[in-house]
Amino acid sequence: MTAHPNAKAVLGYCGFVLPGAIAAFQSMGIEDVICVDVDGLPAETDLIKSGEAAHCAVVGQSPVDFGETAANIFLEYLEDPSTTFEPITLVPTTLITKDNVDEWDAYDYSL
């Protein structure tokens, strides 16, 4: 970020980029950089809730959805091992913003 002080956006892909980017930008006195990160961990969503990252978003991934999708594919295979599967399986995600952050719970395991 020091190499690109005029950056307007940061894209992360591991769940801890948003907290690190917000801390770095705050230490530089920069408040208007847009950050988008992937996971939906409390470390990310808490920053959006608090307003520190209200201009940012997180692509929430649910371990419940990952597990359910994997289990369903495995059960299909057990029923018929000759079944062909797509090389890529898409699992739903949720774009989490200040408008819906209170509805997101990555650790809600109730189905």
Side-chain angles (χ1 to χ4, degrees), residues 12-55:
Y13 199 80
C14 71
F16 294 102
V17 172
L18 181 86
I22 294 298
F25 287 129
Q26 285 174 342
S27 73
M28 297 168 66
I30 300 170
E31 297 180 7
D32 59 349
V33 174
I34 296 169
C35 294
V36 178
D37 202 0
V38 174
D39 270 343
L41 301 173
E44 300 163 313
T45 56
D46 288 350
L47 285 169
I48 294 173
K49 283 181 191 178
S50 74
E52 286 183 80
H55 54 287

Side-chain angles (χ1 to χ4, degrees), residues 46-96:
D46 288 350
L47 285 169
I48 294 173
K49 283 181 191 178
S50 74
E52 286 183 80
H55 54 287
C56 298
V58 176
V59 179
Q61 303 181 104
S62 167
V64 172
D65 291 341
F66 284 151
E68 183 178 21
T69 301
N72 287 335
I73 290 170
F74 183 62
L75 290 172
E76 269 187 72
Y77 171 77
L78 288 177
E79 283 182 26
D80 182 4
S82 66
T83 302
T84 8
F85 297 94
E86 294 296 321
I88 295 175
T89 299
L90 300 178
V91 178
T93 58
T94 301
L95 182 63
I96 304 164

